[in-house]
Amino acid sequence: MKKNLHSFARNMVAGSTGLRPRLAALVVVLLGTTAACTTTTTQHLTDTHPVTHNSSPSSMSELRIADSALDSGNIDVAKTIYDQIVQADPHSVAGLTGLGNTLYAVGDFTRAGVYYQRASQLDATNTAPLIGIARVAIHQRRFDEAISTYRQVLTLTPGDALASAGLGAALDLSGDHAGAQAALRAALKTNPGDPVLSSNLGLSLILGGNPREGANVLLDVTRYPAAPPQARQDLALAYGLLGNTEAAAEILARDLPKASVQDNLQYYEIQRKRLLQQPVSSISPAKVAAVQAQPVQAASLR
C-alpha cells in the first residue's frame, strides 16, 4: 500500500496523465500558486504569511499598502508599489521580498527566487526571504534545499509554525514521511491545534500509507466551520482510499461542482484498487502533490 501511495504522490508531483492539472503543486504549503482546474487538491499548506521585517519608517506606509494589495490579490498594484520602494532604496529587504512574493503569486518562481536571494544576502537573519527561497525550492523540486532552508529558519525562530509546516511538506515531498510527521508533531507541541500543521500531518499520514490515522487527524481540523478547503479535500482523499465513497462525496460537494466530485471519486477508486493490488514496500523519494494545486488563500501570498 505504501508503495502505491508513493506512486500516487509521485504522479501528483509530475502531473501525470492520470491526474487533473489541479492535482499536480506546497506544500503548503505554504504553501502560493494559481492552477485553474476544478478538481480537488491534496495540498500541504506552506504559504501562510511570512512577515516582512527591517522596513525604514519612510517606507512603512507604502509597504502596508503593497502588502494589503498583495493579500487581496491585486498583484499589479502590489508590484508597482514594491518597485517604487526598491527604486527609492535598492537595499530594502521588505521591498525585494515583496517583489519576490508578487512573482511567486503568478507562478514566476525563477525570478521570484532571484529577489528572495537578493533580500537574504542583504539580511541573512530575516526569515521572510528565506521562507520565499524555500517555497521556490519546493516548487522547483529541489527538496533538499527547501529542507535545509526551513531548518535555517527554525534555527533563527525556533518553533515557528510556518517554517515547521514548510519543513514537513518538504520532507514529505522528498519521501521522508516519518521525518515529516516527527517535525509536524514536534511543532504541534509548540503550536497546539494549529490547523496548517495539523492538515499537513494528516496528509503526511495518508501519503505515508496510513489513511485511517490521517483521516482521524483531519477530522479534528475539519470539524471547525472555518477549516481550509484543502483540509476537507485531504479528508475526502483519505475516505476515498479507505473505500468510504459516500463520505468522500459529501465532503467534496462542499467545495466542488458535481462533475468534479464524480471525477475525483473515480480517481480515488482507481488509486484504491491499485493500492490493494500491490504489497507494502519501502517508499522511495518523490512525493506529495501538495505544492502546486489550488490557489492558496489571498492572505497566504506573503
Side-chain angles (χ1 to χ4, degrees), residues 216-240:
N216 289 335
V217 172
L218 290 165
L219 277 169
D220 285 338
V221 180
T222 57
R223 62 192 176 94
Y224 296 105
Q230 293 89 343
R232 291 196 295 271
Q233 292 167 4
D234 291 345
L235 179 59
L237 169 64
Y239 280 144

Side-chain angles (χ1 to χ4, degrees), residues 79-293:
K79 184 178 184 303
T80 298
I81 299 173
Y82 288 130
D83 270 326
Q84 293 171 349
I85 292 170
V86 172
Q87 287 172 9
D89 178 11
H91 295 94
S92 170
V93 173
L96 291 167
T97 302
L99 283 174
N101 289 337
T102 62
L103 292 165
Y104 180 91
V106 299
D108 191 346
F109 305 122
T110 299
R111 290 178 63 207
V114 171
Y115 282 104
Y116 291 141
Q117 291 285 356
R118 285 175 58 186
S120 188
Q121 288 169 4
L122 289 167
D123 183 358
T125 64
N126 191 317
T127 60
L130 287 172
I131 288 173
I133 290 169
R135 292 187 303 172
V136 167
I138 286 182
H139 277 279
Q140 295 180 339
R141 302 187 67 183
R142 294 180 282 110
F143 304 132
D144 288 345
E145 179 181 340
I147 291 167
S148 174
T149 304
Y150 278 125
R151 283 178 171 154
Q152 183 179 351
V153 173
L154 288 168
T155 299
L156 295 168
T157 55
D160 182 84
L162 173 65
S164 297
L167 175 60
L171 288 165
D172 261 328
L173 284 158
S174 72
D176 184 2
H177 302 302
Q181 291 158 30
L184 292 167
R185 291 185 194 279
L188 280 166
K189 291 180 180 179
T190 306
N191 307 275
D194 185 283
V196 174
L197 292 169
S198 297
S199 296
N200 279 12
L201 175 59
L203 181 57
S204 179
L205 289 163
I206 294 168
L207 295 173
N210 195 343
R212 189 172 302 280
E213 186 178 353
N216 289 335
V217 172
L218 290 165
L219 277 169
D220 285 338
V221 180
T222 57
R223 62 192 176 94
Y224 296 105
Q230 293 89 343
R232 291 196 295 271
Q233 292 167 4
D234 291 345
L235 179 59
L237 169 64
Y239 280 144
L241 294 176
L242 290 168
N244 192 340
T245 303
E246 183 177 347
E250 182 179 351
I251 294 167
L252 291 172
R254 294 185 59 179
D255 302 303
L256 300 175
K258 185 175 181 180
S260 296
V261 170
Q262 292 304 315
D263 194 39
N264 281 283
L265 292 177
Q266 291 174 8
Y267 181 76
Y268 296 163
E269 181 61 21
I270 291 170
Q271 294 305 318
R272 181 170 179 271
K273 288 179 179 178
R274 289 178 178 172
L275 297 177
L276 294 173
Q277 286 171 358
Q278 296 188 16
V280 173
S281 179
S282 59
I283 301 177
S284 55
K287 233 10 327 129
V288 52
V291 196
Q292 279 149 313

Side-chain angles (χ1 to χ4, degrees), residues 52-60 63 67 85 89 92-95 126:
T52 49
H53 302 290
N54 297 347
S55 305
S56 64
S58 62
S59 66
M60 284 301 295
L63 281 170
D67 291 345
I85 292 170
D89 178 11
S92 170
V93 173
N126 191 317

Side-chain angles (χ1 to χ4, degrees), residues 22-61:
R22 215 171 130 185
L23 274 170
L26 202 44
V27 69
V28 237
V29 198
L30 80 139
L31 302 215
T33 60
T34 56
C37 190
T38 57
T39 5
T40 189
T41 307
T42 50
Q43 174 175 355
H44 282 102
L45 306 177
T46 61
D47 293 334
T48 52
H49 268 316
V51 181
T52 49
H53 302 290
N54 297 347
S55 305
S56 64
S58 62
S59 66
M60 284 301 295
S61 60

